[in-house]
Amino acid sequence: MDKFRMIFQFFQSNQESFMNGICGIMALASTQMYSAFDFNCPCLPHYNLAYGLGILLVPPFILFLLGFVLNNNISMLAEEWRRPQGQRGKDPAVLRYMFCSMAQRAMIAPAVWVSVTLLDGKCITCAFSTSVPVETLGNASRPHLSQGEIQQVLARIPCRDIYNRQQLIANEVAVRYLRCISQALGWCFVLLMTTLAFLVRSLRPCFSQAAFLKSRYWSHYIDIERKLFDETCAEHARSFAKVCIQQFFEGMSTDLVAARCHLPRKAPADAGEAAEKLLGITDQGTMNMALKSWHRCKPALHLHPPALPTGNGWAGEGQPPMHPSAPRRETAAYYSWV
């Protein structure tokens, strides 16, 4: 249990680790789905190809979309892309980094599905059974069979229970031939995906390390800013609800006192604290205005430290000090009445 708890805490440490865990779970789920899937080839010409390629390509597409849906950053990316310019500019490099990061993680489960499917060989055997070279692997004389009849016979190769043309080509020979091709394609696909992942992970920071770090930093900043904004809104809503409920019960108590029902009244200890958390926003219209302002005009990413006052005015004429770490000197000015 301790190991599972440590793994769970690692997944919750940051957004990137959480999404890596989600993608790993989806990859394992894709293999379990394929192992539990009942593959039934139709064994009919013009249907085998559609069924085999459909099983090979349609589930990876669904898993790819599901990887985007489960990624929490997709809404953040859409919001950052569609929001007005406001006081903060939008960096296309950060948006590209966020999209590429989500796409890379969403591609893990589809790549696992395609790899497992090709290595198993059933889809390729079903899809390309009519393309088996009979001249090379079977009876080249083709006794009393037209081209259409040969296609119907070859389409039944994946279905051993209804295949009865061993004199044309042996079922085991054709299945082994197609499975070997499928496994070769599967290992080539695994090698290609591994090579691409290695190149993306290792060579991308080498060419533009500064731009990579900048995009990664501001991507994390947008995620953290959104979480803090949600937490601040939730805290404000809690304080707003608490003050509203307290005022409601105080009004009810006043009405009961006016009706000569003397009730003991005790001021809540946290009333002042809840009122302070409202930050001056005490009505629905002001809160809606603040939310709209946050969406339309997000504050610029530039912090203005307060200037240090001296005896003769503001130091540096409103500019921040050159050495903020130096000890502050206090100057006393004396005035005399003449």
Side-chain angles (χ1 to χ4, degrees):
M1 292 299 295
D2 294 337
K3 293 182 179 180
F4 286 107
R5 189 180 297 108
M6 292 176 60
I7 295 174
F8 186 72
Q9 290 177 355
F10 172 75
F11 286 158
Q12 284 188 329
S13 59
N14 52 56
Q15 181 70 14
E16 194 167 335
S17 301
F18 176 75
M19 290 314 306
N20 290 335
I22 292 294
C23 293
I25 294 174
M26 287 185 59
L28 294 176
S30 65
T31 58
Q32 293 296 324
M33 288 171 57
Y34 183 80
S35 61
F37 178 72
D38 189 11
F39 188 87
N40 293 314
C41 186
C43 295
L44 294 172
H46 311 295
Y47 288 94
N48 287 8
L49 182 63
Y51 182 81
L53 294 183
I55 298 300
L56 180 64
L57 301 178
V58 173
F61 180 72
I62 297 176
L63 292 173
F64 181 74
L65 296 180
L66 187 62
F68 271 101
V69 171
L70 294 179
N71 199 321
N72 296 330
N73 290 339
I74 185 66
S75 59
M76 182 177 65
L77 175 62
E79 179 183 353
E80 184 68 16
W81 179 49
R82 293 294 300 170
R83 71 172 177 85
Q85 189 75 13
Q87 300 180 7
R88 181 189 304 179
K90 293 184 286 187
D91 193 351
V94 178
L95 300 179
R96 286 195 300 267
Y97 173 82
M98 294 169 62
F99 178 79
C100 293
S101 179
M102 288 186 293
Q104 290 174 11
R105 292 182 175 88
M107 282 294 295
I108 295 177
V112 172
W113 177 276
V114 174
S115 302
V116 173
T117 305
L118 291 177
L119 292 176
D120 185 56
K122 292 180 181 178
C123 290
I124 298 299
T125 303
C126 179
F128 298 99
S129 60
T130 56
S131 303
V132 175
V134 182
E135 296 82 359
T136 305
L137 302 177
N139 187 3
S141 61
R142 302 177 185 177
H144 311 294
L145 291 177
S146 63
Q147 189 65 27
E149 292 175 343
I150 292 176
Q151 293 294 319
Q152 291 181 357
V153 171
L154 295 179
R156 297 179 180 180
I157 288 177
C159 306
R160 295 183 180 182
D161 52 344
I162 63 175
Y163 184 77
N164 55 2
R165 287 287 183 172
Q166 297 289 341
Q167 70 278 7
L168 179 64
I169 183 174
N171 180 273
E172 293 78 6
V173 174
V175 171
R176 182 169 296 183
Y177 172 78
L178 294 173
R179 184 166 294 178
C180 289
I181 295 177
S182 179
Q183 290 178 353
L185 292 175
W187 286 115
C188 291
F189 180 79
V190 172
L191 179 62
L192 177 63
M193 291 292 103
T194 306
T195 305
L196 289 178
F198 170 77
L199 293 177
V200 169
R201 286 290 185 177
S202 60
L203 297 183
R204 183 178 62 177
C206 296
F207 292 102
S208 57
Q209 180 67 18
F212 174 76
L213 292 176
K214 183 191 72 172
S215 302
R216 185 174 182 179
Y217 174 85
W218 290 116
S219 174
H220 291 328
Y221 174 83
I222 294 174
D223 181 34
I224 295 173
E225 183 187 52
R226 186 186 185 188
K227 290 181 180 179
L228 291 177
F229 184 77
D230 292 340
E231 293 175 1
T232 304
C233 289
E235 184 178 0
H236 184 276
R238 182 179 179 86
S239 302
F240 191 85
K242 183 181 294 186
V243 173
C244 285
I245 293 173
Q246 290 173 355
Q247 291 182 356
F248 169 76
F249 279 101
E250 288 177 358
M252 290 295 298
S253 177
T254 304
D255 294 340
L256 291 176
V257 170
R260 298 180 182 179
C261 296
H262 301 283
L263 298 177
R265 296 182 58 185
K266 183 179 180 181
D270 55 348
E273 181 181 357
E276 291 179 358
K277 292 182 180 180
L278 295 178
L279 301 176
I281 303 177
T282 57
D283 61 284
Q284 184 179 3
T286 307
M287 190 63 202
N288 292 336
M289 186 182 302
L291 295 176
K292 292 180 181 179
S293 177
W294 174 262
H295 173 69
R296 295 175 181 176
C297 304
K298 286 189 176 181
L301 299 178
H302 179 68
L303 304 180
H304 301 277
L308 299 178
T310 61
N312 297 325
W314 294 95
E317 296 181 357
Q319 300 295 331
M322 297 300 295
H323 302 285
S325 59
R328 175 181 171 181
R329 296 184 302 175
E330 298 181 358
T331 304
Y334 295 94
Y335 299 91
S336 61
W337 295 91
V338 179

